[in-house]
Amino acid sequence: MRQPRELRSMIEDPTHGPEPAKVRRPFAEKLSARRRREVVAVLLFSGTPMFESAIPLSVFGVDRQDAGVPRYRLLACAGEEGPLRTTGGLELRAPYGLGALSRAGTVIVPAWRSITGQPPAPALAALRRAHSEGARIVGLCTGAFALGAAGLLDGRPATTHWMYAPTLAKRYPSVHVDPRELYVDDGDIMTSAGTAAGIDLCLHIVRQDHGPEAAGALARRLVLPSRRGPQPATAAATESQSRYFDRSLPEDIGADPLAEVVAWALEHLHEQFDVEQLAARAYMSRRTFDRRFRALTGSAPLQWLITQRVLQAQRLLEMSDYSVDEVAGRCGFRSPVALRGHFRRQLGASPAAYRAAYRARQQAAEATGRLRHGAETGRKAADHPVPRLPGQRGRTGL
């Protein structure tokens, strides 16, 4: 039976209709008998940041059974010949090699050194073999590029640091990249956004394996929120990395013919224009423009344009006293209602509530700064008391 035209258009471009629900897939294969779910292998490469590499090592490599956190067995594995150089020129020597991945039920790639380079072929083969034998494969931040190079993200939803999401989408066109999510759980394949979102995904894995109490105990030990990221359907709002977006363009956009059109759009967000007008400026049909734009930025042009308008509104709400209606007009929205709907979907709050919360945080920070300044002034006065005049008794002071 042929689908209605409107339904087909929503499937081809989800920005024309409600966002599809994320469905978590079951594990593709039964876990091999030689693999153990409690064994976590962390695949390390040279040239990767120390912080990202240390996240899974800390979460899964420290015995916290006294705090009610079940113990994992950690295998730190070198993905290439060592020593492995990391942030600050430090050199690491991993106790295990790629062979140890054959025992792990969870394999984590905390980072990959280059968003344009190809990881070593033996490491990619080991990742594919682990996945085929039922292991859970996890990519934190730029680790998603290693999973993409191994072909494990084909046809799947994934995320990475918002700054690298367009490059991931362009490099691996079959991957459904969502730069808004802190992490994406697709069953046997998981990916996270940058840096701190890797901790969120690791806590999610503990929650999935041992329940919310164990994850909460671990979060308390790490002095972290127990849960960020995708929430149950009953939750009022969802944490995302959308609030951290800026207007940066993909690193390789400068040489593309669409760069001028994209730059023009960013400079004229206060005007009302649509994707048809952008396509006309690029001298392309709408269909060709949509395809070229998605390949360049990793996003449909309509969704990209809405996101940029919301980001502009976010800045105006923070830095100006314009009313919500005025902000809507200065950001190219046709009505305040349109602004409110898109703003809530992207940032999880109404424009008025966002402004109130932002200003409350600013006032609290200023109050804290004044208290610290007063305390510092008091300490300096105690260290350098006002000298007494000759014959003066008792307390001194002005």
Side-chain angles (χ1 to χ4, degrees):
M1 180 178 177
R2 187 172 177 82
Q3 294 170 329
R5 182 175 181 180
E6 294 79 10
L7 179 58
R8 294 201 310 274
S9 66
M10 286 171 57
I11 294 173
E12 293 169 356
D13 188 351
T15 62
H16 291 168
E19 293 187 0
K22 292 180 173 62
V23 178
R24 193 173 67 85
R25 303 186 187 187
F27 289 126
E29 299 286 346
K30 183 179 179 182
L31 191 63
S32 171
R34 61 181 175 176
R35 295 182 181 273
R36 296 288 182 270
R37 186 66 67 197
E38 68 276 7
V39 177
V40 177
V42 178
L43 192 56
L44 302 170
F45 296 97
S46 186
T48 56
M50 187 68 160
F51 187 83
E52 282 82 350
S53 301
I55 287 171
L57 299 178
S58 178
V59 171
F60 300 105
V62 178
D63 185 357
R64 298 186 178 91
Q65 294 181 89
D66 61 324
V69 182
R71 186 175 184 179
Y72 289 87
R73 184 185 177 194
L74 180 80
L75 304 176
C77 305
E80 55 193 341
E81 293 295 325
L84 309 177
R85 291 177 175 81
T86 185
T87 310
L90 298 177
E91 292 188 352
L92 305 177
R93 294 186 181 274
Y96 299 96
L98 290 173
L101 265 64
S102 62
R103 290 178 274 163
T106 299
V107 178
I108 300 177
V109 184
W112 169 241
R113 62 175 167 263
S114 170
I115 61 174
T116 57
Q118 186 78 355
L124 298 180
L127 287 172
R128 286 190 287 264
R129 188 180 309 112
H131 180 252
S132 68
E133 294 179 355
R136 176 173 51 193
I137 311 298
V138 181
L140 308 182
C141 194
T142 54
F145 285 84
L147 273 59
L152 300 181
L153 298 181
D154 292 349
R156 291 176 176 264
T159 192
T160 187
H161 193 294
W162 59 264
M163 189 167 60
Y164 305 130
T167 305
L168 182 66
K170 184 177 180 181
R171 190 170 177 82
Y172 305 106
S174 63
V175 181
H176 307 306
V177 180
D178 188 345
R180 296 169 296 179
E181 297 292 345
L182 288 178
Y183 60 82
V184 172
D185 177 356
D186 197 39
D188 53 350
I189 300 289
M190 302 181 183
T191 50
S192 83
T195 313
I199 305 177
D200 296 315
L201 181 50
C202 289
L203 286 172
H204 171 73
I205 291 172
V206 175
R207 186 182 306 110
Q208 186 181 77
D209 290 348
H210 302 290
E213 291 186 5
L218 177 57
R220 288 191 295 275
R221 180 60 68 92
L222 297 175
V223 197
L224 292 168
S226 61
R227 183 167 192 151
R228 295 196 309 161
Q231 302 289 324
T234 56
T238 300
E239 284 278 355
S240 75
Q241 56 173 336
S242 300
R243 66 186 62 201
Y244 305 110
F245 290 176
D246 65 16
R247 291 167 61 172
S248 301
L249 302 179
E251 296 177 357
D252 52 355
I253 193 175
D256 194 280
L258 287 183
E260 184 178 345
V261 175
V262 172
W264 181 90
L266 290 174
E267 293 298 324
H268 293 79
L269 288 174
H270 59 284
E271 300 178 11
Q272 290 188 6
F273 58 88
D274 55 19
V275 178
E276 296 286 353
Q277 291 170 269
L278 293 180
R281 293 188 68 88
Y283 302 100
M284 297 179 185
S285 68
R286 172 64 187 270
R287 183 183 294 273
T288 301
F289 182 78
D290 283 4
R291 175 170 49 81
R292 291 282 303 279
F293 193 95
R294 190 186 292 271
L296 178 66
T297 67
S299 174
L302 178 59
Q303 184 59 53
W304 179 87
L305 183 58
I306 291 172
T307 298
Q308 297 304 320
R309 292 193 189 284
V310 170
L311 292 175
Q312 181 72 355
Q314 182 183 0
R315 296 185 187 96
L316 290 178
L317 290 168
E318 293 174 354
M319 308 304 295
S320 75
D321 292 322
Y322 293 129
S323 69
V324 173
D325 290 11
E326 290 174 317
V327 168
R330 291 174 178 271
C331 296
F333 287 103
R334 298 188 184 279
S335 70
V337 174
L339 167 62
R340 291 186 178 95
H342 291 301
F343 198 95
R344 182 178 291 278
R345 276 191 292 273
Q346 188 162 313
L347 294 176
S350 69
Y354 177 86
R355 168 179 273 172
Y358 177 82
R359 291 185 172 177
R361 289 195 302 270
Q362 292 294 102
Q363 291 172 358
E366 291 173 2
T368 301
R370 287 194 295 268
L371 288 173
R372 288 176 178 172
H373 178 72
E376 183 66 23
T377 303
R379 284 194 297 270
K380 289 181 179 179
D383 293 339
H384 303 283
V386 178
R388 285 191 178 93
L389 296 175
Q392 185 178 5
R393 297 180 181 180
R395 299 174 59 184
T396 61
L398 298 178

